[in-house]
Amino acid sequence: MIRATDRGPAVTAVCRDPAGNARGRAGAAEGAVRVRRVTIRDVAAEAGVSLATVDRVLNDRKGVSAATISRVRAAVDHLDFRRDAFAASLATSREHRFLFVLPESGRNSFMANLDREVQAAAGRLADQRIRIRRVPYHEFNDADLCRVLDGISAEECMGVAVVAVDTPSVREAINTLVGRGVGVVTLVSDVTPSRRLDCIGINNMSAGRVAASLIGRFLGGRAGKIATVAGSLVLFDHADRLHGFNQTMAREFPQLLILPVIEGRDDSAATRPLVAGLLAQHPDLVGIYSMGAGNRGIIEALEASGRQRDVVVVAHELTAHSRRALIAGTFDAVIHQEAADEVENAVRALKAFADGQVGYVPPRVRIDIFVRDNLP
Amino acid sequence: MIRATDRGPAVTAVCRDPAGNARGRAGAAEGAVRVRRVTIRDVAAEAGVSLATVDRVLNDRKGVSAATISRVRAAVDHLDFRRDAFAASLATSREHRFLFVLPESGRNSFMANLDREVQAAAGRLADQRIRIRRVPYHEFNDADLCRVLDGISAEECMGVAVVAVDTPSVREAINTLVGRGVGVVTLVSDVTPSRRLDCIGINNMSAGRVAASLIGRFLGGRAGKIATVAGSLVLFDHADRLHGFNQTMAREFPQLLILPVIEGRDDSAATRPLVAGLLAQHPDLVGIYSMGAGNRGIIEALEASGRQRDVVVVAHELTAHSRRALIAGTFDAVIHQEAADEVENAVRALKAFADGQVGYVPPRVRIDIFVRDNLP
DNA sequence: CGGATCATGAGGTACGTAAATCATCAATTC
DNA sequence: GAATTGATGATTTACGTACCTCATGATCCG
């Protein structure tokens, strides 16, 4: 057998199955190649130090002189050594435990979908030693959310992603949680000046602006009134969308009058009569911006009124209902955020924090815009 | 020291740093927890077989009776055993080698960006034993592309991602490459009935349809002529976009007349006079759909004509130029594909093939739509 | 000058899976 | 009944990093 110390230089030693015959795995292409990598031994040899010293340098442990550190660093650069992520993860037998705190997703299909994506991620990441649990709380209920957050200990979990309502008590609960050493990211909707690491979600101002722009342009100069429907302005994301919407509307489409926002609590049954009322009250209603869930209520009210062709509607989140409405022409555009991306980004941010990476910046979550012609 | 065989049951043994004091790493949160995982030993014990047999079952090796297989499978399910991805990767000291074949990206900023993303991915994935090399070929030159493809051996690389022109000789070259056991995905633009594993790119028909829909709706009923500008119809993606565009235009906006497509070879200098000519020739030109690169030529021609406000323009790919045009109002919408996503998906698809995973379906690449109000 | 601290070396074990080798024992085949 | 084949066990080595312990010489400090 060839021992580590006897092995030739890393660059040349590339070998395949010695006998040349395919190993195992029925019929598969079997692509990969066995390779001798550059290891810390090579670095140690190059720098003229021991393995222990290389290890100390690589892991920023103390007890190494500045001169030696730079010798090792130089060797690392010279050999283009990269620590093997697999070996490193194996050696530090750690597990990352995260908690996703979401509102109970009874009637809200966006939240239900988000919850599904969290589950899916949990399954996918199990083999990478990431354990994800989910905890629900009563929708819009900040006291219940605080109860959940206060019950989280740093022992049971090192990171929390939360879809939060934006209230002072929730802010406080998040801050104390962070104080206990738990990393927190807000998901979808932010909690303003809190000590959370990041907010993982779309830029909601931007979403609101696009909605305004699309409604304005689709109306092509027609004047009239615009209705705005939110789930609840306790949700920071809805408030943000409204802000962006109003801003662009005021600047670019002064001929359109924005009606006061109505709150449907993300519930179709509650939303429907509200929208029906608006339609009846304002014969010159030409557009609707739906910021939250409860789209089915809007669709039903519109279609009952028979004015679905005359009213331009931009809504949020692609679901079975909004998709149907888009195809039918009741909705004109749907602004969407991909739940899977948000979950993935949240996990990455929490993991970066748990691993002590400073200055990790999660990638932005993209805003999807769907019209009838680009439905997936 | 505790030996493997002496260890207690997996469920209970959770331990932290015995002394209770923080180890190493300056100031970091140090989240992760040491955990005793369920291993193949546990599975072996549960199933009453040896490690070797468990290994045979897990890796689909032969030499195990059906009864034993199901006993092992049952134990795996019962204990919820998941093979540790890190340990597995470490044990099979393999390296994945992929090749990205892109056109030389002299003047085309989309391709230049794609190339940058490939480089970035190569850096990111180096610690995961994925080695990515890049090879350029002369833009639009199928002979040169074939030369490159023909020179690839299964030894040096097990997967190729190629931004290809759609010609019979290229198709042939791809097919023989696949015949040699190399996995091939087409990137951005497809090569039609070839034996490539997948095409990693946006749905270009869909992109064309959206472009038509946006131009039509932004024009709000105005009639007139629409210009279509492609890089070259040798590129399958441009051809596809045009197809989708024409289809939706014909069906939904019959008042708009589509002019014959012009080909600017993805080059601003070549495109500019062509567009200027169209503008001069057609005073009733109301819209432009730009399918390829060379947007700068379009912008310059439009702004020189002074008609940039009257002509609705939808273009592809967000670059410095198209972004400026969007902000200035010269462009009305930009359809974008995120190069980073495409590279990532391509690598995943190639890796899945190299690992012999059958039926891997790469996630779709999303179409980004930008207007002035949602620029990132 | 004796003890303390620092820089480094030497050598190990652990992590969990892959995969190879060799040895059994039983069933099947001729 | 001997030879072959199949199923299984037992045992090892390798993968590359993390991290611990102990030893050693040097330097520093009062």
Side-chain angles (χ1 to χ4, degrees):
Chain A
M1 275 288 100
I2 304 176
R3 294 195 48 80
T5 42
D6 307 330
R7 288 185 292 199
V11 218
T12 60
V14 172
C15 48
R16 301 205 72 158
D17 182 358
N21 41 22
R23 282 159 287 118
R25 283 189 196 151
E30 279 307 326
V33 173
R34 275 151 192 275
V35 167
R36 162 99 168 76
R37 301 183 102 243
V38 176
T39 73
I40 44 173
R41 311 181 117 77
D42 301 312
V43 175
E46 171 90 8
V49 298
S50 69
L51 287 181
T53 300
V54 175
D55 180 67
R56 289 178 187 119
V57 173
L58 289 179
N59 294 294
D60 294 318
R61 274 187 268 276
K62 59 178 183 174
V64 187
S65 69
T68 308
I69 289 180
S70 59
R71 278 221 321 285
V72 173
R73 291 259 157 81
V76 166
D77 287 349
H78 181 220
L79 297 176
D80 192 30
F81 167 81
R82 320 275 199 127
R83 116 212 285 127
D84 184 312
F86 301 127
S89 300
L90 179 59
T92 61
S93 314
R94 285 177 176 174
E95 191 170 79
H96 290 279
R97 301 180 174 185
F98 302 133
L99 212 58
F100 275 70
V101 182
L102 311 183
E104 233 145 18
S105 49
R107 306 152 303 194
N108 181 332
S109 44
F110 173 71
M111 284 302 163
N113 181 40
L114 186 60
D115 193 51
R116 269 195 303 277
E117 291 296 343
V118 175
Q119 275 188 68
R124 254 203 323 277
L125 298 174
D127 72 345
Q128 291 172 50
R129 305 189 175 180
I130 295 175
R131 191 169 300 178
I132 294 173
R133 284 193 311 126
R134 296 168 298 136
V135 178
Y137 70 91
H138 298 317
E139 209 177 8
F140 301 124
N141 184 331
D142 63 338
D144 195 46
L145 175 54
C146 289
R147 179 189 59 76
V148 170
L149 293 178
D150 290 339
I152 296 172
S153 74
E155 279 68 44
E156 67 173 312
C157 108
M158 56 212 70
V160 174
V162 56
V163 179
V165 289
D166 181 38
T167 69
S169 58
V170 169
R171 185 172 317 137
E172 187 58 26
I174 288 179
N175 287 343
T176 57
L177 192 53
V178 173
R180 266 176 276 151
V182 178
V184 176
V185 296
T186 51
L187 197 62
V188 178
S189 185
D190 205 3
V191 172
T192 29
S194 69
R195 294 167 60 199
R196 90 279 184 284
L197 300 166
D198 272 301
C199 175
I200 310 289
I202 61 172
N203 181 332
N204 285 296
M205 284 269 287
S206 178
R209 286 199 303 265
V210 174
S213 180
L214 290 178
I215 291 178
R217 300 205 64 163
F218 285 174
L219 283 171
R222 278 168 64 199
K225 291 178 183 152
I226 308 286
T228 50
V229 186
S232 162
L233 296 181
V234 198
L235 294 170
F236 198 80
D237 55 345
H238 291 197
D240 244 8
R241 289 172 192 173
L242 185 62
H243 184 201
F245 186 82
N246 286 333
Q247 190 183 300
T248 292
M249 271 292 170
R251 198 183 53 231
E252 296 187 25
F253 307 101
Q255 78 277 16
L256 298 170
L257 176 69
I258 318 268
L259 296 173
V261 63
I262 59 179
E263 297 179 54
R265 302 197 54 87
D266 285 344
D267 179 20
S268 304
T271 306
R272 177 174 177 168
L274 294 173
V275 174
L278 283 180
L279 282 165
Q281 201 182 339
H282 303 285
D284 55 344
L285 189 80
V286 293
I288 300 177
Y289 176 36
S290 164
M291 274 156 274
N295 282 325
R296 194 160 39 103
I298 297 178
I299 297 167
E300 288 169 359
L302 261 171
E303 292 179 350
S305 78
R307 285 161 63 189
Q308 66 267 34
R309 292 284 168 177
D310 306 319
V311 179
V312 169
V313 183
V314 172
H316 271 265
E317 314 313 341
L318 193 64
T319 62
H321 294 301
S322 61
R323 164 186 283 270
R324 249 199 313 273
L326 217 41
I327 291 170
T330 305
F331 281 3
D332 297 86
V334 167
I335 297 171
H336 180 77
Q337 53 189 320
E338 196 60 47
D341 291 359
E342 299 186 321
V343 173
E344 189 180 324
N345 289 348
V347 171
R348 284 196 190 164
L350 292 176
K351 186 164 181 309
F353 172 75
D355 292 344
Q357 288 176 31
V358 290
Y360 171 81
V361 179
R364 81 186 160 89
V365 177
R366 283 146 59 192
I367 294 174
D368 278 327
I369 300 174
F370 293 111
V371 294
R372 196 181 7 179
D373 307 277
N374 66 334
L375 281 173
Chain B
M1 275 288 100
I2 303 175
R3 293 196 49 81
T5 42
D6 307 330
R7 289 185 292 200
V11 219
T12 60
V14 173
C15 47
R16 303 206 71 159
D17 183 359
N21 39 24
R23 282 157 287 119
R25 282 191 196 152
E30 278 308 325
V33 173
R34 276 153 192 275
V35 168
R36 162 96 169 77
R37 301 184 101 244
V38 176
T39 74
I40 44 173
R41 312 181 117 78
D42 302 311
V43 175
E46 171 90 8
V49 299
S50 70
L51 287 182
T53 301
V54 174
D55 180 69
R56 289 179 188 121
V57 173
L58 289 180
N59 294 294
D60 295 318
R61 276 187 267 276
K62 59 178 184 175
V64 187
S65 67
T68 308
I69 289 179
S70 59
R71 278 221 321 285
V72 173
R73 291 259 156 80
V76 165
D77 287 349
H78 181 219
L79 297 175
D80 191 30
F81 166 81
R82 321 275 199 127
R83 114 207 294 128
D84 184 312
F86 302 126
S89 300
L90 180 58
T92 61
S93 314
R94 286 179 177 173
E95 191 170 78
H96 290 280
R97 300 181 174 186
F98 303 133
L99 212 58
F100 275 70
V101 182
L102 312 182
E104 231 144 20
S105 49
R107 307 152 301 194
N108 181 334
S109 44
F110 173 71
M111 285 302 163
N113 181 40
L114 187 59
D115 193 51
R116 269 196 301 278
E117 291 297 343
V118 174
Q119 275 188 70
R124 253 202 325 275
L125 298 174
D127 72 345
Q128 291 172 49
R129 304 188 175 179
I130 295 176
R131 190 169 301 178
I132 294 172
R133 285 193 311 125
R134 296 168 297 136
V135 178
Y137 70 91
H138 297 316
E139 208 176 9
F140 301 124
N141 184 330
D142 62 339
D144 195 45
L145 175 54
C146 289
R147 180 189 59 75
V148 170
L149 294 178
D150 290 339
I152 297 172
S153 74
E155 279 68 45
E156 68 172 311
C157 111
M158 57 212 69
V160 174
V162 55
V163 179
V165 289
D166 181 37
T167 69
S169 57
V170 170
R171 186 171 317 137
E172 187 58 26
I174 288 178
N175 287 343
T176 56
L177 193 53
V178 173
R180 266 176 277 151
V182 178
V184 176
V185 296
T186 51
L187 197 61
V188 177
S189 185
D190 205 2
V191 172
T192 30
S194 70
R195 294 168 59 198
R196 89 278 184 285
L197 300 166
D198 272 300
C199 175
I200 309 291
I202 61 172
N203 182 331
N204 285 297
M205 283 269 287
S206 178
R209 286 199 303 265
V210 174
S213 179
L214 291 178
I215 290 178
R217 300 204 64 162
F218 284 174
L219 283 171
R222 277 168 64 199
K225 292 178 183 151
I226 307 286
T228 49
V229 186
S232 162
L233 297 181
V234 198
L235 294 170
F236 198 79
D237 56 345
H238 291 197
D240 243 8
R241 289 171 192 172
L242 185 61
H243 185 201
F245 186 80
N246 286 333
Q247 189 183 300
T248 293
M249 271 292 170
R251 197 183 52 230
E252 296 186 24
F253 307 100
Q255 78 277 17
L256 297 172
L257 176 70
I258 318 268
L259 296 173
V261 63
I262 59 179
E263 297 180 54
R265 303 203 45 93
D266 284 346
D267 179 21
S268 304
T271 306
R272 178 175 175 164
L274 294 173
V275 174
L278 283 180
L279 283 165
Q281 200 183 337
H282 303 284
D284 55 345
L285 189 79
V286 293
I288 299 178
Y289 176 36
S290 164
M291 274 156 275
N295 281 326
R296 194 161 40 102
I298 298 178
I299 297 167
E300 288 170 0
L302 261 171
E303 292 179 351
S305 77
R307 286 160 61 189
Q308 66 268 33
R309 291 286 169 176
D310 305 320
V311 179
V312 169
V313 183
V314 171
H316 271 266
E317 314 313 341
L318 192 65
T319 62
H321 295 301
S322 61
R323 164 186 283 270
R324 250 199 311 275
L326 217 41
I327 291 169
T330 305
F331 282 2
D332 297 86
V334 167
I335 296 171
H336 180 77
Q337 53 189 321
E338 196 61 45
D341 291 0
E342 299 186 321
V343 173
E344 189 180 323
N345 289 348
V347 172
R348 285 197 190 164
L350 292 176
K351 187 165 180 309
F353 171 74
D355 292 344
Q357 288 176 31
V358 290
Y360 171 82
V361 179
R364 82 186 160 89
V365 177
R366 283 145 59 190
I367 294 174
D368 278 328
I369 300 174
F370 293 110
V371 294
R372 199 187 358 185
D373 308 277
N374 66 335
L375 281 173

